[in-house]
């Protein structure tokens, strides 16, 4: 079940380096793309960084609206993630496929993809120089949620849950690794 | 065995989101710190982004030398990674511990940590505004290497290798996840 995540701990949703879905909505059009180049940027207030190519339709929606969401997909969504990362919202309506559904969450400004295991709703921190030079976008997290089947008490707990709920970590060309076992330092 | 990695494919060493070690050397002092907030930034030429807190000793060495390396540690090094991420080179010489050894690689400008599974030697792309505002440092990869026990033909291949060679993905407070199984999209 989707539960709210304390903003002080929401960096943990991205800290282990999952591939994410980036979504944005503007003037009645929504879009979702896949992005492996995403990371936390600060704890308090929580900030994130993500690379968005100039050709992406999502980038234009983000720039126009000033908002975006990061959704953390899971192994069961691998084909959806690959499709969202290899097609463009310029050429087709990604929502025409039944595997892409949104969550009805009034507190979110940007679309949240159903079936993911975590979501971070963000406001853009406009930095036009690095956006233009490096395709690098920064945001501040306004609200976060996670599926308590795998994220509880501020920690990912994948052991005991179905493997289909493990996060995806893209290598290249549709080849992914799923997150594995816990390991604690001494 | 350590093998050179084609620069066109070196983004794959970081694409799945591992926690890294960041190293730098200046005027006879070297240091290594742990960083979970690191990602590829571009393919060609290959660039990277990493967050380095103002308090870190490594950041000063990087700023003074204009160079740094990213080393990708593995599960067998979890205690070393935790120590490097929770102590400061300002207060102690991290090389005083026998578990921190460097590789003799003449082509690298910054220290490469022995026992890691991948290494990216980088030159800083100075962006003082975002460095100061967000602690965000960018670099261009000059050379890269990986251990061919787990990275071959441009792909991570952890299956069949010892689990101690799997990459580490930090969640918080010394709690890590190791990378898991491969999964290919349709």
């Amino acid at each position: 079940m989707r539960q709210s995540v304390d903003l002080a701990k929401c960096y943990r949703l991205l800290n282990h380096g999952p591939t994410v879905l980036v979504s944005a909505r503007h003037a009645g059009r929504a879009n979702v793309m896949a992005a492996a180049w995403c990371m936390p940027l600060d704890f308090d207030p929580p900030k994130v960084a993500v690379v968005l190519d100039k050709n992406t339709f999502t980038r234009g929606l983000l720039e126009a609206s000033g908002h975006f969401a990061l959704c953390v997909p899971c192994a069961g969504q691998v084909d959806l993630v690959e499709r969202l990362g290899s097609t463009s919202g310029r050429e087709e309506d990604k929502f025409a496929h039944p595997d892409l559904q949104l969550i009805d969450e009034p507190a979110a400004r940007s679309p949240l993809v159903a079936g993911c295991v975590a979501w971070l709703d963000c406001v853009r921190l406009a930095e036009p120089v690095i956006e233009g030079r490096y395709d690098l976008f920064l945001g501040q997290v306004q609200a976060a949620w996670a599926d308590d089947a795998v994220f509880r008490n501020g920690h990912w707990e994948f052991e005991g849950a179905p493997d289909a709920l493990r996060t995806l970590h893209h290598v290249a060309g549709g080849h992914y690794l799923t997150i594995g076992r816990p390991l604690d330092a001494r």
Side-chain angles (χ1 to χ4, degrees), chain A:
Chain A
M1 189 185 291
R2 181 165 43 97
Q3 302 280 1
S4 184
V5 172
D6 182 2
L7 284 183
K9 292 186 175 167
C10 73
Y11 74 94
R12 298 180 182 185
L13 301 173
L14 301 176
N15 213 69
H16 68 303
T19 292
V20 300
L21 302 177
V22 186
S23 65
R25 178 191 284 128
H26 180 70
R29 268 307 296 274
N31 202 46
V32 186
M33 60 175 278
W37 300 358
C38 176
M39 65 180 182
L41 183 65
D42 206 349
F43 294 106
D44 183 22
K47 296 178 191 145
V48 297
V50 62
V51 179
L52 303 173
D53 191 81
K54 288 179 180 63
N55 293 325
T56 63
F57 187 58
T58 303
R59 176 169 166 167
L61 297 176
L62 182 161
E63 290 174 324
S65 71
H67 289 82
F68 64 101
L70 303 176
C71 309
V72 181
C74 59
Q77 296 175 299
V78 65
D79 293 327
L80 171 63
V81 173
E82 186 61 18
R83 181 168 69 78
L84 294 175
S86 56
T87 58
S88 173
R90 254 185 246 297
E91 284 140 31
E92 64 176 80
D93 178 6
K94 296 186 182 182
F95 293 95
H97 289 250
D99 57 351
L100 180 55
Q101 301 287 337
L102 298 181
I103 291 168
D104 180 22
E105 172 51 70
R109 290 287 302 264
S110 296
L112 306 186
V113 176
C116 288
V117 290
W119 304 264
L120 300 97
D121 196 45
C122 305
V123 58
R124 171 192 184 198
L125 297 168
E127 290 286 353
V129 173
I130 61 162
E131 290 170 357
R133 193 174 293 164
Y134 299 107
D135 298 335
L136 181 57
F137 287 77
L138 311 183
Q140 183 170 324
V141 185
Q142 304 289 295
W145 303 265
D147 182 341
D148 64 3
V150 286
F151 190 87
R152 285 188 294 273
N153 306 316
H155 278 287
W156 289 106
E157 295 186 10
F158 295 106
E159 306 293 300
D163 280 349
L165 295 179
R166 289 181 184 263
T167 52
L168 284 168
H169 301 251
H170 192 228
V171 178
H175 179 66
Y176 296 78
L177 300 164
T178 60
I179 198 64
R181 295 185 183 137
L183 179 63
D184 289 283
R186 261 200 304 263

